[in-house]
Amino acid sequence: MSRMRCVIQGCSAWEFDAQVHMCRQCTIQYAQVADAIRKYKDAPVLKGDLFVTKSIVSPFYLGLNEGDKVDILDVLDDGSSVIVKDGQRIGYYNIEYLSTEQELVQGFQQEEEQRKIREEQEAKEAQRAAELQYEEQLRQKMKQKAIEDRERRAQEAEERKVQAEQMRIQLEAMRLAKAEEERRMAEYQQRLREEDARRAQQAQQAREAEAREMKRIWDEQQSSYAEQKRMAQMPQWKRDMLARK
């Protein structure tokens, strides 16, 4: 029989004691493990064909990899530690990291069910998150729309205010221009009336002067006619005497 490496994890020495497959140093340092191997070397299998589900890194436990198949030789008093056999190797292990094929299948099924439940839950949560995100985006859009509408109304109100002020200024300018035009027209009409009055007065004065002149001429003519009539009624000698004066 060929020699084996020491079964203690971390030790690469060749076995010294072929009964326990341990080197001299480990036989002394890990005497408890060596005693257990000797005790259960010929023990019957208590439960066979179990699969390793997790490796344990410790020199007190048999170095097994996930997926290795072992047999349980005994369950110790603490209820969690077991003695297992892997081919020619015997050592301690934790029963929590050993499972039968049926337990593995059930575990896989449970994991698959849990995965499906988890995926369904994640899908629901993702859908709900998407819905919440959509609702939040919608609220933000509505909020932004309200802000834009408020700003737009404020801007429109300001524009109307500016337009109203411009219209007021234009109307005021038109009113002032109209008032100025009316003032100028009133002044012009007043000047026309004054000119008409002046002309009327001048015409009246001219008529009155003409009437006075005509009356003067008339009076002179009447005086001359009366004088002529008086002279005509005088005797000749009186006329001659007056003529000599």
Side-chain angles (χ1 to χ4, degrees):
M1 181 180 297
S2 61
R3 296 176 64 191
M4 295 176 56
R5 293 286 184 180
C6 181
V7 297
I8 298 299
Q9 290 191 60
C11 182
S12 61
W14 291 99
E15 64 181 7
F16 172 76
D17 188 339
Q19 186 179 15
V20 296
H21 303 297
M22 294 172 64
C23 67
R24 183 190 299 272
Q25 181 65 30
C26 291
T27 303
I28 299 170
Q29 186 174 356
Y30 303 105
Q32 178 183 350
V33 177
D35 292 341
I37 294 174
R38 292 188 185 93
K39 178 180 178 181
Y40 291 99
K41 181 173 68 69
D42 297 321
V45 173
L46 181 64
K47 188 176 183 180
D49 297 331
L50 282 89
F51 291 91
V52 177
T53 59
K54 183 178 180 180
S55 298
I56 302 175
V57 181
S58 171
F60 290 96
Y61 288 92
L62 189 62
L64 298 172
N65 296 318
E66 184 176 349
D68 289 346
K69 184 182 285 189
V70 297
D71 297 327
I72 293 178
L73 302 181
D74 194 10
V75 179
L76 303 184
D77 294 338
D78 61 6
S80 61
S81 297
V82 292
I83 303 297
V84 297
K85 184 177 182 180
D86 173 27
Q88 297 182 12
R89 300 186 304 165
I90 297 174
Y92 290 97
Y93 216 72
N94 193 316
I95 196 170
E96 294 181 359
Y97 301 142
L98 300 175
S99 297
T100 63
E101 182 176 356
Q102 183 179 0
E103 289 172 343
L104 287 175
V105 171
Q106 291 177 350
F108 293 153
Q109 291 176 344
Q110 290 177 356
E111 289 179 359
E112 183 66 18
E113 289 295 327
Q114 291 176 356
R115 184 187 64 80
K116 290 181 179 179
I117 293 173
R118 185 171 60 253
E119 289 179 352
E120 290 176 357
Q121 184 65 27
E122 290 175 353
K124 290 180 180 179
E125 291 176 356
Q127 182 179 359
R128 180 55 182 164
E131 292 174 353
L132 292 175
Q133 182 180 7
Y134 175 76
E135 292 175 357
E136 180 62 22
Q137 291 176 349
L138 186 60
R139 282 195 296 270
Q140 291 298 325
K141 287 182 179 179
M142 293 174 65
K143 183 179 180 180
Q144 183 64 28
K145 181 66 167 55
I147 293 173
E148 291 175 355
D149 289 344
R150 185 166 62 252
E151 292 177 350
R152 177 179 53 79
R153 288 194 296 270
Q155 182 177 359
E156 290 175 352
E158 184 64 23
E159 290 176 355
R160 288 194 297 271
K161 183 179 179 181
V162 172
Q163 291 174 356
E165 181 63 17
Q166 292 175 347
M167 181 64 68
R168 186 192 67 78
I169 293 173
Q170 292 176 357
L171 291 175
E172 181 65 16
M174 292 173 62
R175 186 188 68 78
L176 293 175
K178 183 178 180 181
E180 180 65 18
E181 182 65 23
E182 290 176 350
R183 185 186 65 78
R184 292 179 179 177
M185 182 59 68
E187 291 178 352
Y188 175 71
Q189 291 177 351
Q190 180 64 26
R191 288 196 298 271
L192 289 179
R193 286 193 295 270
E194 291 176 354
E195 182 65 21
D196 290 342
R198 186 184 63 79
R199 289 179 180 177
Q201 185 179 7
Q202 289 178 348
Q204 180 65 26
Q205 290 175 352
R207 286 192 297 272
E208 290 177 354
E210 184 180 2
R212 286 192 300 271
E213 181 66 20
M214 291 179 67
K215 185 177 183 302
R216 184 187 62 78
I217 295 172
W218 172 259
D219 289 344
E220 289 179 354
Q221 289 177 351
Q222 290 297 319
S223 178
S224 176
Y225 176 74
E227 182 64 24
Q228 290 176 2
K229 183 178 178 180
R230 186 179 67 80
M231 292 296 289
Q233 291 176 356
M234 283 182 180
Q236 183 63 40
W237 62 270
K238 287 184 177 181
R239 290 198 298 270
D240 294 338
M241 185 179 61
L242 291 174
R244 285 194 296 271
K245 292 181 179 180

